[in-house]
Amino acid sequence: MALRNLCEVYLQERSQTSVGTEVLCSLHSEKFKLVCVEDKQPVCLVCRDSRKHTNHKFQPLDEAASDLKELLRIKLESLQKKLKIFKEAKLSCDETVKHMKTQAQHTEKQIKEEFEKLHQFLRDEEAARIAALREEEEQKSQMMKESEK
């Protein structure tokens, strides 16, 4: 919309002169009354009869503006619907990403807990084996002492 407005201002400055609030044709200093349908340009009544616009179709300025406004309204509605759909899709994607992060954190916590249990089991098993080894060593040492006696 901003670009369209900028283009319109540029075209008006290029081809028109402004007197107060009245926009005039730069060639004939006449008020614009019509729009050339082929050239999509506002024209005065003198321009309409010039060679440049021979066999062209014309439309009253108010009707052309009304038609263009309606066309813009329809296109704007379509774009607003698409924007709404895109916003809903983005929201859905954001929620999915949030859910995935939560699941990943939960799974990571579970993995750490399971490995901690395994580590504890291995430490307990190591301590039990070492204790059994020392007990066996003590028993054999006692048997050797008795044998020596």
Side-chain angles (χ1 to χ4, degrees):
M1 293 293 280
L3 182 59
R4 182 184 64 83
N5 291 339
L6 206 63
C7 289
E8 286 179 358
V9 168
Y10 170 76
L11 290 173
Q12 285 178 353
E13 287 178 358
R14 188 182 74 176
S15 67
Q16 304 165 14
T17 58
S18 180
V19 178
T21 59
E22 201 172 272
V23 180
L24 303 176
C25 174
S26 61
L27 298 174
H28 307 106
S29 297
E30 296 277 331
K31 283 176 73 173
F32 290 119
K33 303 265 186 188
L34 303 169
V35 172
C36 176
V37 175
E38 282 80 8
D39 297 335
K40 297 186 182 354
Q41 291 282 324
V43 293
C44 69
L45 296 175
V46 179
C47 286
R48 175 190 65 182
D49 298 330
S50 70
R51 277 186 241 139
K52 182 181 175 187
H53 296 285
T54 304
N55 295 325
H56 287 189
K57 293 182 181 177
F58 297 92
Q59 188 177 21
L61 196 60
D62 293 342
E63 283 182 22
S66 177
D67 291 348
L68 290 174
K69 283 180 183 179
E70 180 62 21
L71 182 64
L72 283 174
R73 186 190 64 75
I74 290 168
K75 288 185 178 186
L76 181 61
E77 282 179 6
S78 172
L79 289 173
Q80 286 173 333
K81 287 177 185 175
K82 286 180 183 178
L83 180 62
K84 182 181 176 186
I85 290 168
F86 288 139
K87 283 182 177 180
E88 289 171 356
K90 184 183 181 317
L91 181 63
S92 176
C93 288
D94 290 346
E95 288 174 359
T96 302
V97 167
K98 185 178 177 181
H99 180 69
M100 286 173 22
K101 284 182 179 181
T102 303
Q103 278 186 324
Q105 289 171 346
H106 179 70
T107 304
E108 180 180 340
K109 182 181 174 186
Q110 284 181 323
I111 290 169
K112 286 181 178 183
E113 288 173 357
E114 290 297 317
F115 271 91
E116 183 54 39
K117 288 177 185 176
L118 288 171
H119 289 151
Q120 187 59 47
F121 171 77
L122 290 173
R123 285 190 292 269
D124 293 346
E125 195 64 26
E126 177 187 21
R129 299 279 179 196
I130 290 173
L133 177 67
R134 286 188 182 149
E135 187 178 322
E136 184 180 339
E137 178 190 11
E138 185 64 34
Q139 287 175 356
K140 286 183 180 180
S141 185
Q142 281 295 340
M143 284 175 45
M144 289 304 288
K145 283 181 186 178
E146 286 180 21
S147 256
E148 283 179 7
K149 284 182 186 178

